[in-house]
Every structure is written in C-alpha cells, then in structure tokens.
Amino acid sequence: MPKPRAKASEPWTPESWKTRLEAHQVVYDDRDAVQRAVNKLQALPPLVTSWEIERLRSHIAEAQAGKRFLLQGGDCAETLADCQPDIIANKLKILLQMSLVLVHGIKKPVIRVGRFAGQYAKPRSSPMEKGKGPDGADVELPSYFGDLVNKAEFSADARRANPDNMVAGYQHAAMTINFIRSLVDGGFADLHHPEYWNLGFLEHADLPDALRDDYRKMTTELAEALKFMEALGETGIDELTRTEFFCSHEGLNLLYESAQTRRVPRRAGYFDLTTHLPWIGERTRQLEGAHVEFFRGVRNPVGVKVGPNADPGEVVQLVETLNPDDESGKMILINRFGATHVAEALPPVIEAIKASGRTVLWVCDPMHGNGVTTDGGVKTRNFDAILQEVEENLKAHRAAGTVLGGVHFELTGDDVTECVGGAAGVREQDLCLNYQTPCDPRLNYQQSLELALRLAGWMSEDRK
Ligand code: PEP
Ligand code: CO
C-alpha cells in the first residue's frame, strides 16, 4: 500500500521517513522479528561517535573551500565473510598508500574514508533474479540485497530477507571498526619503507616510455619524501601513518540507520551512529522519498550519488532539501555519469549549483557509470574509462572555476581480476583468474595505486 506523503514542512524525527515512499524497501515476512532486531540495535552502543562525525564535517568544510581532498574507496558490497584481518588490513593499506601519493602530488591533506564497516546493503536494478533451482529447473528468487538483508547464495532460504542479518551486520561492522582503529593507532610499519610498496609491476608493465618515466619519477620522489619524513622522527612518518580514517556506507536500509540514530549529551541534533559518512544512492535519491527525508535530519555529512538522468534543477532541490541552511561540511555531490556522458552532463550541474550559491563538495565516482558486460557475461569496468571520467571531471571544474574535491572508487587491496586494463595488464580473458566480488567489479591493488599516481600527476599539473 502506498504510504501518505508527509509535507516538507513537517518536523523531522528519526522515524519521519516512514511516512514517505521508500524506494528499494526491504520486504520482511516477520514483523515481530523486525521489531526485535530494531530494539536490539537501539540498545547497543554506537559504532562511531558524534565528535568523530563533527570532526569529519569540519574536514569536509575545508575540502569544500579547496583546502583538503577526499579519498573514498572500498568494496561495492562488503560481506560478513570479508571480516578477516588480511582483507581489512590490505584495504586500509591501499587507501593509505593512495592517500600518500595524493598528498605528495596535490600538497593538500587527504581525508581518508573507507567504504567499509557497514557497506552491507545493496540496491539492485531488479528485485528478482532468474536462475536454476537445486533440481535444475528455472526459478525466480529475490535478488541479493547485501549481507545486511539476505545472502548471495541462490536458494530460497538464503534469499529470504532476514532481520537478524541487521544485528549480524552491526556486529561485523563493530569488529571491523575495532580492528581498523587498532591498525590506525599502531601505524603500518611497512609503509615506512616504500620498497615494500609492490611497485615493481610499473617497471615491467607494457607502458609508453613517457608514462613509465613519470611513474618512476613520482615514486622515487615519494620514496625520498617518506625517507625524509622518517628522518624527522617524531613529527615525521609515524604521524603521517598513524592517522585518521573514517568509514562510510550507502544508507540504504533505513531500519538499520534509524535504530542507531540518537541525540548525544551536550551536542545539538541527531547523529546516525552506524557510520561517519552515509550516502544516498542513485536509485534512492527521490526528492520526496524516504531516504532524503531521513538524511536531511542528521548531523552527519551526507553524500548523494548523481547519475546521467539527473536534471540540474532537481540536483539543486536535493541539495536545498538535505541542507536547507546551507551549512558547510554537510553536502557531498558524487557524480557518476560515465566516461562518455560526463563532459556533457557535469557542466550544467556545476552551473546550476553555482547559480544557487549552495556549498557542496564535488566528488567524482568514475566507477558506476562505466560498467560493461563482456561477451562471456562477466561484469567488468575498463581502467581507461575510469581514468577518462576522472580527467573529464578535472577539465569541467577547471573550465567552471570550481574544484574537484574528491574521488570515490570501488577497490580492494588484494590482487583480484575484476576490472580490465592498467599497467597491471588485466585482460578480458584474465577476469576468471581471481574474480571475487559479489556485486560490482573493483580495482585491484596495482590498478588503485596507478590511478592515484595518474590523479596526483594531473592535479600537480593544475597547481603549476
Ligand atoms: C554503489 O556505490 O555501490 C552504488 C550502487 O552506486 P550508485 O548508487 O551510484 O549506483
Ligand atoms: Co557498486
């Protein structure tokens, strides 16, 4: 049954989203079990704190003023099974290494945000999926909506939305965050030594000479800079690696988000304490919808994904609704137009926001507009298309006099073969070698590092 629509002027509460139509609403068959899970989540301690969220807001406000740069990256769909020390440490390591490359190239502090510790809920283009049952017959089952909702395995039992998964998701997010905090506290010993950076692939790759020389120059300079900082002792590399990380996820399952949304002593407003930086996905950003209603009321900074169908006027309205007082540090616009659309689609959005006078952080997600399926039916993305979309973003901002304030990638610190191209030399026929993602294809360690080098190179050119 469609729900009645609340008026925009009606007061916000952590539950007011329930009066709005919810895109991608999870359908549970046991309401009592849902209530039990929500009660449990309400009683459990927060995963992040209000002061961390306020600190991130102040960093984002500085990024909006061009003084910092946001690096956001991680899995498309994090799984509960990914809650393992090596997987988490490798993800943190690649993000940290990319951020050091960027700091070195753009000479600005980088805000490091992982898509982790809760990136467990996934929107899907179709609610149902066709496949083969255990007896080989054709069956149709609900799609996999992420481990917060159901399981990836293609069986009726696994695909049933189970409210207990919200509690399991919370618990795994807590374990992940706990490990991240300890790693960040202790620093990563091997990052003191760039020789441990696994950069050898750049030397052996089939690259144009000029590009290889550029990479060599940048990595040598970076190694020197790291050694220099290490020589400084106390204030040097330890400070740089014992550093802040924030976490983020798509705020898709509003039952989960609202159960951990609270007031805290001596601070104004409500905080969504499941994560520092939630974002609203391309499929759930309807102006009158439940997700926009929910996220307009929390103190957290909020990202909104904007795809090729977005009308510039509608993007302005979204920004006005989510941040009516135009507070700095709140709004992040993450565009994901696709390499072939961005040059045409981004400038009108930039101009509309400029004309509105609103404060946003401009972030480029070069992943979600560049999905392709191979003839063999494998979902992949091409490294060159990803690079092209980032470069087009830089061009558009240069032309408009605005600043690209951050990037948003799907990546992993492991040697997966999910995206094609790059110096890593992953070819279409290699995709089957180590294809792990349950959802969208991610950049591997080498592709991620190369992307950071390219971006740092372009952005340091901009400074000249
Ligand atoms: C995602 O970030 O994994 C995602 C689904 O993105 P979008 O909402 O932009 O399609
Ligand atoms: Co994705």
Side-chain angles (χ1 to χ4, degrees):
M1 265 256 301
K3 295 171 184 169
R5 240 174 48 186
K7 301 229 165 52
S9 56
E10 280 177 14
W12 182 92
T13 73
E15 308 280 313
S16 57
W17 60 272
K18 292 185 175 168
T19 64
R20 303 291 184 97
L21 277 178
E22 192 183 353
H24 284 258
Q25 185 170 24
V26 183
V27 183
Y28 293 104
D29 55 20
D30 182 349
R31 280 172 171 253
D32 292 343
V34 172
Q35 198 51 52
R36 279 197 300 277
V38 166
N39 293 349
K40 174 104 183 141
L41 289 171
Q42 279 172 340
L44 286 165
L47 294 174
V48 302
T49 65
S50 60
W51 54 93
E52 291 163 349
I53 291 171
E54 290 294 355
R55 193 170 158 75
L56 176 60
R57 264 189 81 135
S58 68
H59 288 345
I60 289 172
E62 286 182 22
Q64 287 170 335
K67 297 191 186 120
R68 285 180 189 262
F69 190 77
L70 175 81
L71 170 66
Q72 187 176 13
D75 295 303
C76 178
E78 195 185 11
T79 63
L80 303 194
D82 283 347
C83 187
Q84 292 179 29
D86 285 357
I87 297 180
I88 299 169
N90 287 346
K91 227 174 307 184
L92 221 51
K93 182 172 155 186
I94 183 61
L95 282 171
L96 184 48
Q97 291 183 342
M98 290 171 84
S99 74
L100 292 177
V101 169
L102 291 174
V103 168
H104 187 65
I106 67 186
K107 309 286 182 243
K108 286 180 196 175
V110 169
I111 314 168
R112 303 165 176 102
V113 179
R115 285 174 62 118
F116 49 42
Q119 176 49 21
Y120 297 132
K122 296 305 303 169
R124 302 314 296 260
S125 25
S126 163
M128 299 299 281
E129 187 183 329
K130 290 198 174 94
K132 297 277 178 215
D135 53 1
D138 290 338
V139 276
E140 203 175 25
L141 293 173
S143 296
Y144 169 58
F145 290 100
D147 280 6
L148 200 67
V149 175
N150 57 5
K151 297 274 169 251
E153 184 197 311
F154 194 75
S155 74
D157 192 43
R159 291 294 173 88
R160 191 180 71 86
N162 180 351
D164 292 342
N165 292 349
M166 287 192 278
V167 178
Y170 165 93
Q171 288 162 340
H172 284 76
M175 290 186 272
T176 305
I177 259 186
N178 180 54
F179 187 51
I180 289 169
R181 290 190 195 283
S182 354
L183 285 173
V184 167
D185 252 10
F188 291 102
D190 56 356
L191 289 179
H192 298 216
H193 301 283
E195 57 270 29
Y196 295 155
W197 273 41
N198 319 345
L199 292 167
F201 74 97
L202 292 173
E203 288 296 328
H204 308 123
D206 180 19
L207 289 171
D209 285 344
L211 189 56
R212 188 193 317 279
D213 288 347
D214 273 359
Y215 288 159
R216 201 178 278 151
K217 185 162 168 284
M218 287 171 81
T219 50
T220 314
E221 279 174 11
L222 180 62
E224 289 305 316
L226 289 172
K227 275 196 199 121
F228 176 68
M229 283 187 274
E230 192 173 29
L232 292 180
E234 285 287 283
T235 52
I237 189 74
D238 270 1
E239 285 303 302
L240 207 65
T241 52
R242 189 181 299 127
T243 191
E244 274 181 314
F245 263 94
F246 296 96
C247 52
S248 68
H249 63 242
E250 177 169 350
L252 185 68
N253 188 331
L254 295 177
L255 287 168
Y256 178 76
E257 305 299 327
S258 63
Q260 280 261 316
T261 295
R262 325 180 163 158
R263 286 186 185 279
V264 299
R266 292 177 294 285
R267 269 184 216 277
Y270 281 86
F271 292 83
D272 178 352
L273 297 171
T274 62
T275 193
H276 301 112
L277 170 53
W279 76 85
I280 304 174
E282 162 74 353
R283 293 162 191 80
T284 50
R285 60 170 170 75
Q286 296 75 15
L287 257 184
E288 301 283 340
H291 292 80
V292 169
E293 171 60 17
F294 178 73
F295 286 109
R296 83 178 166 96
V298 295
R299 283 289 302 165
N300 307 56
V302 174
V304 184
K305 294 285 203 88
V306 176
N309 300 327
D311 167 72
E314 183 193 330
V315 179
V316 172
Q317 279 181 296
L318 261 174
V319 170
E320 287 170 351
T321 308
L322 284 161
N323 188 19
D325 297 329
D326 195 30
E327 292 177 24
S328 57
K330 170 81 184 178
M331 273 312 307
I332 304 177
L333 277 184
I334 310 169
N335 77 83
R336 27 85 86 226
F337 292 122
T340 51
H341 291 110
V342 58
E344 196 185 324
L346 180 56
V349 176
I350 296 179
E351 288 313 319
I353 294 284
K354 258 171 75 177
S356 75
R358 295 271 155 172
T359 316
V360 303
L361 184 68
W362 294 103
V363 172
C364 160
D365 164 359
M367 312 299 295
H368 288 88
N370 292 316
V372 287
T373 305
T374 66
D375 291 341
V378 185
K379 270 168 77 174
T380 189
R381 290 162 171 156
N382 195 308
F383 189 75
D384 288 336
I386 293 168
L387 278 181
Q388 190 192 333
E389 183 153 0
V390 177
E391 203 177 7
E392 292 291 350
N393 265 257
L394 285 167
K395 275 191 208 154
H397 285 293
R398 218 173 283 145
T402 43
V403 188
L404 176 66
V407 280
H408 182 121
F409 301 133
E410 286 186 339
L411 55 81
T412 166
D414 298 312
D415 291 329
V416 299
T417 51
E418 297 171 6
C419 293
V420 290
V426 181
R427 299 160 304 171
E428 211 171 291
Q429 62 266 39
D430 300 327
L431 290 173
C432 58
L433 296 177
N434 192 16
Y435 195 96
Q436 300 281 344
T437 181
C439 208
D440 294 336
R442 302 159 297 174
L443 297 163
N444 65 18
Y445 175 86
Q446 299 181 346
Q447 290 166 329
S448 304
L449 208 53
E450 186 179 3
L451 186 54
L453 285 164
R454 290 296 281 270
L455 178 58
W458 289 328
M459 292 188 71
S460 70
E461 283 300 308
D462 267 7
R463 284 190 300 112
K464 285 177 193 157

